[in-house]
Amino acid sequence: MTSQSSVEQFLAQRHLGLVGVSRSGKKVGNMVLRALTKKGYRVSVVHPEAAEIDGVRCVPSVSELPDEVGGLVLVTPSEQTEKLVREAAGAGVRRIWMQQGAESGVAIELCRESGIDLVHGECILMFAEPAGVHRFHRWIWELLGKLPVSAREGIGPGARSW
């Protein structure tokens, strides 16, 4: 299970890599790109064919991300995730966020074996200063007790606002 600490440490990184952005602009990865850049994150997009998407320069592979990238968001089909985790581990990436649906058991285990701090089973849009429907989604998860471990402990007057 994902810990609150892993979520907070990931979101504290102000430069993130992102895999899963489409040139059509109509995928969840594109929503993540727009939301993160709007919230002040510097995002480096990995796309094997595009030079630029939504005004953001792309690199063709995870291994070509800038050294200062503090984490990698994967918004990819689960069958691609294992390969991307291997590439990230080889490139020295220390934090990965597998967006819901990107997870695979093998990829999760590879992160553990490689010492990569992993967030999975969570929507990054619910935690990166959520707004609109994502704020509501987070509130529902609070009610259902589905937030990462320890995240529920801060609910109440004077508690940290996600």
Side-chain angles (χ1 to χ4, degrees):
M1 178 165 233
T2 296
S3 72
Q4 177 183 354
S5 174
S6 291
V7 169
E8 289 174 352
Q9 289 177 25
F10 191 93
L11 295 175
Q13 308 307 307
R14 300 313 294 174
H15 187 177
L16 299 172
L18 174 60
V19 184
V21 178
S22 156
R23 288 182 283 190
S24 73
K26 298 179 182 179
K27 300 285 185 176
V28 174
N30 298 81
M31 288 175 39
V32 171
L33 173 61
R34 287 188 291 273
L36 291 176
T37 54
K38 185 177 180 180
K39 293 171 190 318
Y41 287 90
R42 183 172 167 215
V43 181
S44 293
V45 173
V46 177
H47 194 287
E49 299 166 357
E52 183 179 293
I53 297 175
D54 288 346
V56 177
R57 189 177 77 76
C58 300
V59 296
S61 68
V62 171
S63 62
E64 295 183 53
L65 284 168
D67 290 339
E68 65 271 10
V69 166
L72 180 63
V73 181
L74 300 177
V75 190
T76 54
S78 59
E79 57 272 6
Q80 294 176 11
T81 303
E82 179 183 338
K83 174 185 173 279
L84 292 164
V85 169
R86 288 184 193 281
E87 191 175 347
V93 173
R94 304 304 339 137
R95 292 174 189 82
I96 291 181
W97 190 301
M98 289 181 200
Q99 185 69 7
Q100 294 165 313
E103 308 103 321
S104 80
V106 172
I108 291 168
E109 187 56 33
L110 282 170
C111 285
R112 287 187 184 121
E113 290 172 1
S114 302
I116 294 172
D117 191 14
L118 175 64
V119 176
H120 68 93
E122 307 294 344
C123 175
I124 195 166
L125 299 176
M126 283 179 28
F127 294 94
E129 301 175 30
V133 71
H134 293 99
R135 182 179 302 270
F136 178 72
H137 187 192
R138 180 178 169 79
W139 178 76
I140 293 293
W141 277 44
E142 283 177 7
L143 289 176
L144 298 175
K146 292 186 173 185
L147 290 179
V149 176
S150 299
R152 294 179 297 275
E153 295 171 6
I155 298 170
R160 176 186 169 146
S161 171
W162 284 85

